[in-house]
């Protein structure tokens, strides 16, 4: 019984994460993203807000930076993964303002 509920929570968390990412990348307004998460994914306001903030300040900037590293800087996929996981996530967690930068400026700021 417990395993089933754990799997259900993971599936629900993944659903919220994917819906949030899709809406954010489609440039849907912030309040509309929250509304859809609460209605479609049956997330409460706190879950929706946390998912949205995680997407906006961490996940989306990391995806953008990852693409930049591979396409513009010539990183191998593994090296880009390592950079994201060892440097970028910590830097973004410590400084939300980095998420507002372009991938190129974010890369430079993280490497200082």
């Amino acid at each position: 019984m417990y395993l089933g509920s754990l799997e259900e929570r993971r599936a629900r968390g993944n659903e919220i994460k994917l819906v949030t990412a899709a809406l954010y990348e489609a440039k849907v307004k912030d309040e509309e993203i929250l509304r859809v998460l609460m209605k479609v994914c049956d997330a409460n306001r706190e879950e929706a807000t946390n998912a949205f903030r995680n997407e906006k300040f961490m996940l989306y900037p990391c995806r953008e930076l990852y693409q930049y590293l591979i396409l513009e800087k010539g990183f191998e996929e593994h090296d880009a993964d390592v950079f994201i996981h060892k440097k970028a996530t910590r830097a973004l967690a410590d400084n939300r303002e980095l998420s507002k930068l372009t991938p190129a400026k974010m890369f430079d700021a993280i490497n200082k």
Side-chain angles (χ1 to χ4, degrees), residues 62-101:
C62 283
R63 284 194 305 273
E64 291 289 302
L65 182 57
Y66 180 83
Q67 288 298 315
Y68 170 78
L69 293 174
I70 291 174
L71 298 175
E72 302 294 326
K73 298 298 271 182
F75 275 52
E76 295 293 326
E77 289 180 12
H78 172 74
D79 296 332
D81 277 336
V82 169
F83 183 85
I84 296 296
H85 292 291
K86 293 209 174 191
K87 292 187 176 183
T89 54
R90 179 176 291 148
L92 286 163
D94 291 342
N95 183 0
R96 276 188 176 179
E97 294 300 311
L98 290 176
S99 66
K100 298 175 183 176
L101 301 176

Side-chain angles (χ1 to χ4, degrees), residues 3-111:
L3 185 59
S5 65
L6 180 61
E7 290 172 357
E8 289 171 5
R9 283 191 306 216
R10 281 188 183 150
R12 185 170 182 278
N14 286 338
E15 175 187 50
I16 291 170
K17 185 178 173 181
L18 289 172
V19 170
T20 306
L23 294 172
Y24 192 80
E25 289 206 19
K27 302 197 185 318
V28 173
K29 292 180 182 178
D30 298 358
E31 280 302 315
E32 185 65 9
I33 292 172
L34 295 174
R35 188 190 71 74
V36 170
L37 290 173
M38 289 185 293
K39 183 173 183 175
V40 174
C41 297
D42 197 30
N44 63 38
R45 184 80 172 176
E46 183 180 357
E47 288 174 309
T49 301
N50 288 340
F52 174 73
R53 286 182 180 155
N54 192 40
E55 178 63 28
K56 182 175 184 174
F57 297 116
M58 184 66 69
L59 299 175
Y60 181 78
C62 283
R63 284 194 305 273
E64 291 289 302
L65 182 57
Y66 180 83
Q67 288 298 315
Y68 170 78
L69 293 174
I70 291 174
L71 298 175
E72 302 294 326
K73 298 298 271 182
F75 275 52
E76 295 293 326
E77 289 180 12
H78 172 74
D79 296 332
D81 277 336
V82 169
F83 183 85
I84 296 296
H85 292 291
K86 293 209 174 191
K87 292 187 176 183
T89 54
R90 179 176 291 148
L92 286 163
D94 291 342
N95 183 0
R96 276 188 176 179
E97 294 300 311
L98 290 176
S99 66
K100 298 175 183 176
L101 301 176
T102 65
K105 289 181 181 178
M106 188 186 319
F107 177 74
D108 291 341
I110 291 169
N111 275 324

